[in-house]
Amino acid sequence: PAALSNYVVQAWLINVQRTDLALAANLILNLSNAALCISFGYVLDYGIVGVATATAVSNYLAFTFGIIQISRVSQQLPWLESGRRPSWWPSINWPLVFQSQRLLKLASLNGNVVLRSICMMTIVTDFTSLSVRLGSSALAGNNLLMQLQMMISFAADGFANAGEALIGEAI
């Protein structure tokens, strides 16, 4: 559950243009995972159970950090209004969130991203399927090429996420 929740936290932080906090959450996740996996799996000799426990603990650490950051950052967002609730519990100004003109503009932008993602998944699936037919050596070589392609794709996704956040703020 924490691993999936971390994706939600990452997306929320990126969409409110706090990529520095998303990076910090990723660093906490990965560095604590590496340190705990070595500690539990190798030093304490717990084996695979220790590594699994370390991964779970790391995910919960990153999730806790993310939730703390979300509660802190959410107090500064323009569509939240103060009310009779505790200061850490946001109250959403729904008419400001659901302005039809702005939602239509945002939906038109996201349609392009969905189309791009479908094209990328189709290419990856077809490339792997064709590589299997050529044998294990070709499959291994093409897997290396796919890893390079995925790195390029992730770089493009970074620009897409930044563009979505900036355009969403401008709309």
Side-chain angles (χ1 to χ4, degrees):
L4 294 176
S5 300
N6 279 328
Y7 287 120
V8 174
V9 168
Q10 294 283 322
W12 194 89
L13 290 171
I14 289 170
N15 285 320
V16 296
Q17 297 184 5
R18 292 307 307 263
T19 54
D20 57 332
L21 296 176
L23 174 64
N26 263 328
L27 287 173
I28 288 171
L29 172 66
N30 292 315
L31 294 176
S32 66
N33 192 23
L36 290 174
C37 281
I38 291 169
S39 298
F40 290 179
Y42 182 71
V43 175
L44 297 175
D45 199 27
Y46 289 146
I48 194 70
V49 173
V51 172
T53 303
T55 301
V57 169
S58 298
N59 275 297
Y60 279 105
L61 281 174
F63 178 66
T64 303
F65 173 80
I67 291 299
I68 291 169
Q69 296 311 313
I70 285 174
S71 67
R72 202 176 57 106
V73 169
S74 66
Q75 301 303 315
Q76 304 163 358
L77 298 175
W79 59 82
L80 298 177
E81 51 191 25
S82 60
R84 291 180 288 186
R85 298 179 184 188
S87 62
W88 55 269
W89 186 271
S91 174
I92 298 175
N93 183 352
W94 292 109
L96 184 60
V97 171
F98 289 111
Q99 291 180 352
S100 60
Q101 294 285 32
R102 289 183 172 186
L103 286 176
L104 287 174
K105 286 180 183 178
L106 188 62
S108 69
L109 292 172
N110 285 337
N112 295 333
V113 174
V114 169
L115 179 63
R116 178 199 159 279
S117 297
I118 290 171
C119 290
M120 290 297 295
M121 286 187 288
T122 302
I123 289 169
V124 168
T125 304
D126 287 346
F127 196 74
T128 304
S129 175
L130 292 172
S131 297
V132 168
R133 295 179 190 161
L134 297 175
S136 60
S137 296
L139 180 61
N142 286 339
N143 188 29
L144 293 175
L145 292 174
M146 289 303 295
Q147 294 298 321
L148 178 63
Q149 185 268 337
M150 289 304 286
M151 272 186 7
I152 294 169
S153 173
F154 289 144
D157 284 345
F159 285 110
N161 288 334
E164 284 179 13
L166 292 172
I167 290 170
E169 181 183 6
I171 294 175

